Amino acid sequence: MENITVYTVESSDVRILHTGDTHLGSRQYHSDVRRQDFFNSFAQVIQDAIENKMDAVVHSGDLFDNRNPTIEDLIETIAILTPLKNAGIPFLGIVGNHEGKQNTQWLDIFEKMGLAKRLGSTPVIVEGSRSQIRFYGIDNLSGPRLAAFDFSGFDADLKCGGDGKKIYNVLTLHQLLEPILPGQPLSSDDFTSSIPIQFDAVLLGDNHKYECIKHNGAWLTYPGSTERCSAAEAEPRAYNILTFDGTEVSITRRTIPTREFVTIPIVSDENGEIQIDDIYLKIDSYSEKINGAVVFVELSGIKKTLIPISEIEEYVKNKGAVVARVGDKRDLEKDDSDKTKQIVFRDPDEVVTQELRRLNLTEAGFLLDSVIRDMDTSKTNVTDVSETRLKEFLANHEFKDEFKRDSIYNDIEDSIEDEDNIEDAAEGSAEIDSEVVAETIAVIEQIHHASEMQEVPLPPKEEAGESDLNEETDEIEAEDVSPMAEPTAKTPAKKEKEQNRPRQYTLGDMFGSEGEE
């Protein structure tokens, strides 16, 4: 049992509190009050675990709302977890998609502080008098990362003691999965069938609504988020309690108090008329619910009247609302409720690929894109790695044919007579400009970022082509392409001749559209 952590409890029935999707640090609706609500809900869960003497707490991912929590977020999280540690209750967790970093995770830091234990392919054991529960975990994985994931670290023949006791195996994942969530691209079987261990329960995170089913002999369950992350999450927030009694596994659910979300529907009449006084009267009828709540005023019907949104929000706040939002969902024409609206979701990777094609990048441009997409390259090293790769590319690349681009090559040919000088001029001017590299990286990163938002803005050609990338080189005219040329006084004729000369070439030319000036 070397390197295996074992927590021994005295109780015959082992009870585990399962929570997840706490999203600490979220400033929902840009509200500091809502940020504190997320911490308060998590603190309530931990307090319940201590008061009810749970044997362990399992967190199924997205402890934090993003991968860069503030110092204040970290301090408050440590303050919440410390009493749990003092009570001798282990906090076991995995990394979700919101908080995942490329290398060291926040859970790793908490583990070094003795506040948490990160689950993986080696089990963490909680052992009672009649049963032994072995907890495994896999951090959030996208489809491509799942295909490359190494499951060989899970050992079915691992000797962990527990002689004469009922052995339970529990897997923790942060994924949206079939069959508990129909229609998802991944299934729980994609994970469990790849691991040579028969699991009794799969504790899930990422879905913010409570779900629980039995599949292939194992419980699959989402506890839901501990706070409402959107107005659509109407169900009470809760967490799960799993009881292992030596014969079977049972799951119960306990709700936790959270701030109320109040929706005030207001519908215009059949002519689209709606008076501001009528809106205020409708809001007044909700006065008892508004105080201390997050309030949404939803306007629907036909849109023929202008409504002062900011005034309504201020009116609601003055009645004690913590957050006030007005959603104007009125239509300019009559609403045809029977008409089915089609929504098409585009694959982000496909969108990125299409937009990169429209940029018409050269081989060097695609080299930069590969560096940016490389998961093993940290964001802080992208520029340095790109510069190194491009230097290698330029040192080994044949430029003789690379610059034969219609008007560009013709201009060079007019001024340089022999082919050897064409090659020397191109190579001599194709030096790495760190600003050009950074600017090109920014263009590609903009496309990747926009695809995550499901909307990929197409940059104007002058932003993605030669004009911006070569702005600096446009201001510097070549004195002479011949290495033997002697400096001479600049006569008017000389200046006119210089103006007609082609500019020298930098890396920016390699990223421009074919044939563009």
Side-chain angles (χ1 to χ4, degrees):
M1 297 179 62
E2 186 179 358
N3 297 326
I4 296 178
T5 302
V6 179
Y7 298 96
T8 303
V9 297
E10 297 179 356
S11 55
S12 57
D13 293 351
V14 177
R15 296 191 304 158
I16 306 298
L17 190 152
H18 171 213
T19 187
D21 292 284
T22 46
H23 290 277
L24 301 179
S26 171
R27 291 185 70 253
Q28 190 181 41
Y29 311 119
H30 309 287
S31 169
D32 288 332
V33 174
R34 286 299 293 153
R35 173 193 170 277
Q36 192 58 50
D37 286 344
F38 281 81
F39 276 98
N40 292 344
S41 295
F42 180 53
Q44 182 64 59
V45 172
I46 297 302
Q47 186 62 35
D48 286 356
I50 296 172
E51 291 179 355
N52 291 284
K53 298 181 179 180
M54 294 293 161
D55 296 307
V57 174
V58 176
H59 193 290
S60 50
D62 279 354
L63 176 65
F64 292 108
D65 189 56
N66 63 72
R67 61 178 56 89
N68 295 311
T70 65
I71 296 297
E72 291 77 11
D73 295 338
L74 294 172
I75 291 174
E76 289 194 51
T77 304
I78 291 171
I80 293 172
L81 290 177
T82 298
L84 191 71
K85 172 188 174 182
N86 295 339
I89 301 174
F91 183 83
L92 317 177
I94 59 172
V95 179
N97 58 309
H98 273 250
E99 67 206 340
K101 301 176 76 69
Q102 291 191 354
N103 297 305
T104 302
Q105 306 295 334
W106 295 111
L107 270 179
D108 298 327
I109 296 175
F110 291 156
E111 183 167 350
K112 290 180 180 179
M113 298 172 66
L115 295 173
K117 191 74 177 176
R118 184 179 174 188
L119 296 174
S121 57
T122 300
V124 174
I125 295 175
V126 178
E127 189 169 50
S129 60
R130 293 191 298 183
S131 59
Q132 182 189 87
I133 301 92
R134 302 176 181 180
F135 291 94
Y136 301 84
I138 300 176
D139 297 336
N140 175 260
L141 294 175
S142 61
R145 291 174 62 198
L146 172 61
F149 186 77
D150 183 10
F151 289 92
S152 63
F154 291 87
D155 187 359
D157 298 323
L158 190 65
K159 302 301 180 183
C160 303
D163 296 336
K165 298 179 180 180
K166 170 67 175 177
I167 305 298
Y168 297 95
N169 294 301
V170 178
L171 179 63
T172 307
L173 301 172
H174 188 87
Q175 308 282 161
L176 301 177
L177 299 175
E178 284 262 18
I180 188 170
L181 297 177
Q184 297 300 321
L186 296 178
S187 168
S188 60
D189 296 337
D190 294 328
F191 293 84
T192 55
S193 63
S194 301
I195 301 174
I197 297 172
Q198 179 61 46
F199 291 103
D200 299 280
V202 179
L203 308 185
L204 296 162
D206 202 14
N207 183 52
H208 292 180
K209 181 182 178 182
Y210 168 78
E211 301 287 353
C212 188
I213 66 170
K214 206 159 191 178
H215 175 67
N216 289 342
W219 286 107
L220 308 181
T221 181
Y222 290 97
S225 59
T226 54
E227 250 295 350
R228 290 181 174 87
C229 296
S230 74
E233 297 175 9
E235 301 83 2
R237 303 297 93 186
Y239 55 81
N240 288 338
I241 295 177
L242 285 80
T243 302
F244 302 84
D245 62 6
T247 57
E248 61 180 7
V249 183
S250 61
I251 300 177
T252 57
R253 183 170 180 254
R254 291 187 182 178
T255 59
I256 55 179
T258 56
R259 191 175 298 278
E260 289 293 328
F261 275 43
V262 177
T263 300
I264 304 175
I266 298 176
V267 184
S268 63
D269 62 25
E270 58 183 9
N271 296 319
E273 297 295 331
I274 184 170
Q275 302 299 323
I276 188 67
D277 290 339
D278 294 334
I279 295 176
Y280 290 155
L281 286 173
K282 186 64 176 288
I283 293 172
D284 290 342
S285 67
Y286 282 77
S287 293
E288 292 183 2
K289 297 181 178 180
I290 287 176
N291 189 38
V294 176
V295 180
F296 301 91
V297 179
E298 292 188 354
L299 306 177
S300 60
I302 304 173
K303 188 172 186 177
K304 289 189 177 180
T305 307
L306 293 177
I307 301 296
I309 301 297
S310 60
E311 291 183 17
I312 297 175
E313 289 180 344
E314 190 65 28
Y315 186 82
V316 174
K317 286 182 180 179
N318 289 336
K319 287 198 165 290
V322 168
V323 174
R325 288 288 185 273
V326 176
D328 194 345
K329 299 180 180 180
R330 295 176 297 163
D331 295 324
L332 293 175
E333 298 178 356
K334 265 193 174 180
D335 181 30
D336 186 358
S337 57
D338 295 332
K339 187 175 181 180
T340 303
K341 296 181 180 180
Q342 292 186 345
I343 300 175
V344 178
F345 294 93
R346 299 179 66 188
D347 178 49
D349 289 333
E350 180 184 346
V351 173
V352 170
T353 301
Q354 290 179 357
E355 292 306 317
L356 287 176
R357 287 174 182 168
R358 297 179 77 162
L359 279 179
N360 232 352
L361 298 180
T362 63
E363 185 178 348
F366 284 108
L367 183 149
L368 280 181
D369 176 59
S370 68
V371 173
I372 293 170
R373 291 207 207 195
D374 187 359
M375 295 296 294
D376 295 328
T377 302
S378 63
K379 289 186 177 181
T380 56
N381 292 333
V382 166
T383 300
D384 292 339
V385 174
S386 299
E387 198 163 327
T388 300
R389 295 279 298 277
L390 286 172
K391 284 180 180 177
E392 295 173 355
F393 174 82
L394 293 174
N396 301 319
H397 198 74
E398 180 65 49
F399 282 94
K400 184 183 298 182
D401 297 325
E402 185 72 24
F403 285 86
K404 292 184 178 181
R405 294 187 178 180
D406 298 335
S407 60
I408 294 178
Y409 184 73
N410 291 338
D411 287 343
I412 300 176
E413 205 169 37
D414 290 340
S415 300
I416 306 176
E417 295 181 356
D418 64 272
E419 198 173 78
D420 292 334
N421 283 343
I422 293 174
E423 181 176 353
D424 292 341
E427 291 180 349
S429 60
E431 298 178 353
I432 295 288
D433 186 329
S434 60
E435 292 185 3
V436 171
V437 173
E439 199 166 348
T440 306
I441 291 173
V443 171
I444 299 176
E445 284 185 330
Q446 180 187 10
I447 293 175
H448 287 290
H449 175 71
S451 73
E452 295 175 0
M453 303 298 292
Q454 295 295 323
E455 294 181 6
V456 181
L458 178 59
K461 286 188 177 180
E462 59 269 27
E463 292 182 6
E466 294 179 352
S467 60
D468 282 349
L469 297 177
N470 297 325
E471 182 177 352
E472 182 178 347
T473 59
D474 284 340
E475 298 175 359
I476 304 174
E477 295 293 340
E479 290 297 327
D480 201 320
V481 293
S482 172
M484 303 300 294
E486 295 291 336
T488 58
K490 293 186 179 180
T491 63
K494 176 72 173 178
K495 289 182 178 179
E496 181 179 353
K497 184 177 181 181
E498 286 180 351
Q499 290 175 354
N500 293 326
R501 279 191 181 137
R503 56 182 170 76
Q504 290 198 12
Y505 298 90
T506 70
L507 188 62
D509 294 303
M510 302 176 64
F511 303 139
S513 300
E514 296 290 342
E516 286 186 9
E517 286 294 325

